[in-house]
Amino acid sequence: MKNNLIIINPCSGKKKANKYLTSIIDVFTKAGYMSTVLTTTKRGDGTIYAAEYAGKADLVTCIGGDGTFNEVIAGMVEKDHKVPIGYIPAGSTNDFASSLKLSSGIVKAAKDIVEGEKVLLDVGSFNGRKFSYVASFGAFTQTSYATPQNVKNALGHLAYILEGVTSIGSIKKEHMCIEADGVIYEDEYIFGAISNSTSLAGILTLKPEYVDMGDGLFELLLIKSPKNILEITEIVHMLTTQNYESSMITFVNAKEFKIHASKEIPWSLDGEYQEGCDEIHVENLHNAIEIMLNYNK
């Protein structure tokens, strides 16, 4: 039998994946996999497990939210483990899973893994720290790591919306200079994201035709600080209609980013806290991981 390493965060989302664990293992057993299950007990465990044990597996299955998946891919890229990854989304928002159109059904997601095919995806590097789909700052980005886990479990996606709305009054503009493949963008911004996803911060969305998760490029979205109610209205309209041809919004594709910012500006990587830095280097690691996707479901 082939070896399947299952890394599960038993606290993700509403803990719904826990009660399906036997059924998940049964799906893999019938597909010819002998599964080993490791549960994360603290932040960083997913990275340690993936780095230490993924090299001995034929498949690595991550069960959890975006943060858990972030840890798993970080460990695998760190050790250059060329092993396909299966992802069973079980978090509160699952931005990355939404972009991949993964099933929200726990057992169905497991079946999609064994029936799927390998697809190469890009990974991001933020001063060496890996992220799977987004590095962001400003409005709403603190929601994912500032909202208590028990609130996320109780309210799910609504928790992100509520926390984001309550934080609007504290949003402040940030002066930043970002060089994207040699082109410089400098202004005062209330939000910025370097992403490889159609869903950002659990709230904003990009049209699927704008995003190719394996093309070697990231999407840069910057929102300037509005000076009056007309500019606020314009920003809201552009974001809700997903039309980014506006003087208030910058939307471009690039492979590499050099950022000059205040180290007081916190960032979020895949929903997890990242301390700010004066100098930041973000690059696209092209086709760094293989993930199992079922296009015939």
Side-chain angles (χ1 to χ4, degrees):
M1 298 184 74
K2 294 174 288 187
N3 294 313
N4 175 31
L5 172 63
I6 296 178
I7 300 175
I8 179 173
N9 180 349
C11 296
S12 285
K14 297 181 180 180
K15 305 181 182 180
K16 63 179 181 179
N18 300 356
K19 61 182 178 181
Y20 293 107
L21 186 55
T22 301
S23 298
I24 292 170
I25 294 174
D26 183 59
V27 169
F28 288 112
T29 300
K30 290 176 179 176
Y33 287 95
M34 181 172 63
S35 298
T36 299
V37 181
L38 297 177
T39 59
T40 62
T41 60
K42 61 183 181 303
R43 182 169 295 179
D45 278 353
T47 299
I48 295 171
Y49 296 159
E52 183 70 21
Y53 304 112
K56 303 171 186 177
D58 299 293
L59 173 69
V60 175
T61 301
C62 171
I63 307 176
D66 294 329
T68 307
F69 187 80
N70 170 285
E71 291 188 3
V72 170
I73 65 108
M76 296 185 68
V77 173
E78 174 188 330
K79 295 296 184 179
D80 197 28
H81 293 316
K82 302 300 184 184
V83 180
I85 304 170
Y87 182 25
I88 300 177
S92 302
T93 298
N94 303 314
D95 276 333
F96 188 68
S98 297
S99 297
L100 293 171
K101 296 181 172 57
L102 299 184
S103 174
S104 58
I106 299 296
V107 178
K108 178 63 169 63
K111 291 179 179 178
D112 286 341
I113 292 170
V114 299
E115 295 172 0
E117 57 186 80
K118 300 175 186 176
V119 176
L120 291 168
L121 295 183
D122 301 335
V123 168
S125 174
F126 181 103
N127 282 355
R129 181 179 172 184
K130 307 304 184 292
F131 63 93
S132 61
Y133 76 96
V134 66
S136 61
F137 71 88
F140 302 111
T141 58
Q142 295 185 33
T143 301
S144 54
Y145 60 79
T147 306
Q149 186 64 52
N150 63 329
V151 175
K152 293 181 188 178
N153 291 348
L155 299 178
H157 181 72
L158 179 60
Y160 288 80
I161 302 297
L162 294 176
E163 182 64 26
V165 170
T166 58
S167 70
I168 287 178
S170 62
I171 293 174
K172 62 178 183 178
K173 58 188 178 183
E174 307 286 4
H175 186 88
M176 196 167 293
C177 177
I178 300 177
E179 180 181 337
D181 285 353
V183 180
I184 295 176
Y185 303 91
E186 184 171 7
D187 214 310
E188 293 182 332
Y189 302 102
I190 60 169
F191 175 81
I194 298 169
S195 68
N196 197 31
S197 170
T198 58
S199 181
L200 307 178
I203 298 171
L204 303 178
T205 58
L206 301 178
K207 290 182 178 180
E209 56 263 36
Y210 292 155
V211 181
D212 183 338
M213 301 172 77
D215 64 354
L217 299 172
F218 285 150
E219 285 66 52
L220 170 66
L221 176 66
L222 297 170
I223 302 176
K224 292 182 181 179
S225 175
K227 299 181 177 63
N228 52 56
I229 189 64
L230 290 178
E231 290 185 345
I232 293 175
T233 302
E234 179 180 349
I235 290 171
V236 172
H237 174 71
M238 291 300 175
L239 292 177
T240 53
T241 59
Q242 298 179 319
N243 176 5
Y244 308 119
E245 296 181 5
S246 164
S247 61
M248 299 302 298
I249 296 174
T250 297
F251 185 75
V252 296
N253 303 100
K255 173 181 173 55
E256 185 177 23
F257 305 84
K258 297 178 182 178
I259 303 166
H260 304 275
S262 168
K263 63 182 180 181
E264 303 302 321
I265 301 174
W267 288 70
S268 172
L269 302 187
D270 295 345
E272 301 297 321
Y273 174 76
Q274 167 62 46
E275 185 179 6
C277 306
D278 293 324
E279 304 288 334
I280 300 168
H281 180 215
V282 176
E283 61 179 325
N284 181 296
L285 305 180
H286 185 42
N287 290 347
I289 61 171
E290 291 180 331
I291 190 164
M292 301 299 295
L293 298 179
N294 183 11
Y295 291 119
N296 300 315
K297 58 185 176 181

